[in-house]
């Protein structure tokens, strides 16, 4: 997933997409910073985008995951047959 990261100057748009103005980009960044701040100060899922349902399969799979699941080898799940 990280392969597609690029800065705003080299962003490749879709066929019908229009480039964002600097003012709109600054507004979006300010909005995301506000959402991050609210979630950090109050609770992880205080503000969400869209309307995720509680019964999503992906949410059930990751609710017991350790916060360091990408950096601690000894905390990875082990599958035995």
């Amino acid at each position: 997933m990280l392969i597609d990261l690029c800065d705003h100057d080299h962003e490749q748009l879709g066929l019908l997409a229009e480039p964002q103005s600097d003012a709109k980009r600054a507004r979006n960044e300010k909005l995301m910073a506000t959402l991050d701040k609210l979630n950090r100060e109050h609770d992880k899922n205080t503000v969400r985008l869209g309307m995720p349902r509680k019964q999503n399969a992906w949410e059930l799979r990751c609710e017991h995951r350790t916060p360091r699941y990408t950096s601690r080898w000894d905390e990875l799940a082990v599958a035995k047959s």
Side-chain angles (χ1 to χ4, degrees), residues 18 28 32 44 54 76:
E18 296 180 17
N28 287 344
M32 289 297 123
K44 180 175 147 184
K54 276 291 196 190
L76 287 175

Side-chain angles (χ1 to χ4, degrees), residues 12-19:
Q12 183 173 355
L13 301 175
L15 182 62
L16 301 175
E18 296 180 17

Side-chain angles (χ1 to χ4, degrees), residues 62-72 74-77:
C62 66
E63 67 182 354
H64 298 295
R65 182 177 57 205
T66 174
R68 300 178 296 194
Y69 70 97
T70 60
S71 59
R72 296 290 307 257
D74 58 330
E75 293 181 9
L76 287 175

Side-chain angles (χ1 to χ4, degrees), residues 12-48:
Q12 183 173 355
L13 301 175
L15 182 62
L16 301 175
E18 296 180 17
Q20 284 185 342
S21 67
D22 289 338
K24 189 171 183 178
R25 182 176 293 135
R27 180 179 175 267
N28 287 344
E29 288 176 1
K30 186 176 178 182
L31 175 63
M32 289 297 123
T34 302
L35 291 177
D36 290 340
K37 181 180 178 185
L38 286 170
N39 284 333
R40 194 172 41 253
E41 290 177 356
H42 297 283
D43 189 16
K44 180 175 147 184
N45 294 317
T46 300
V47 180
R48 294 183 182 191

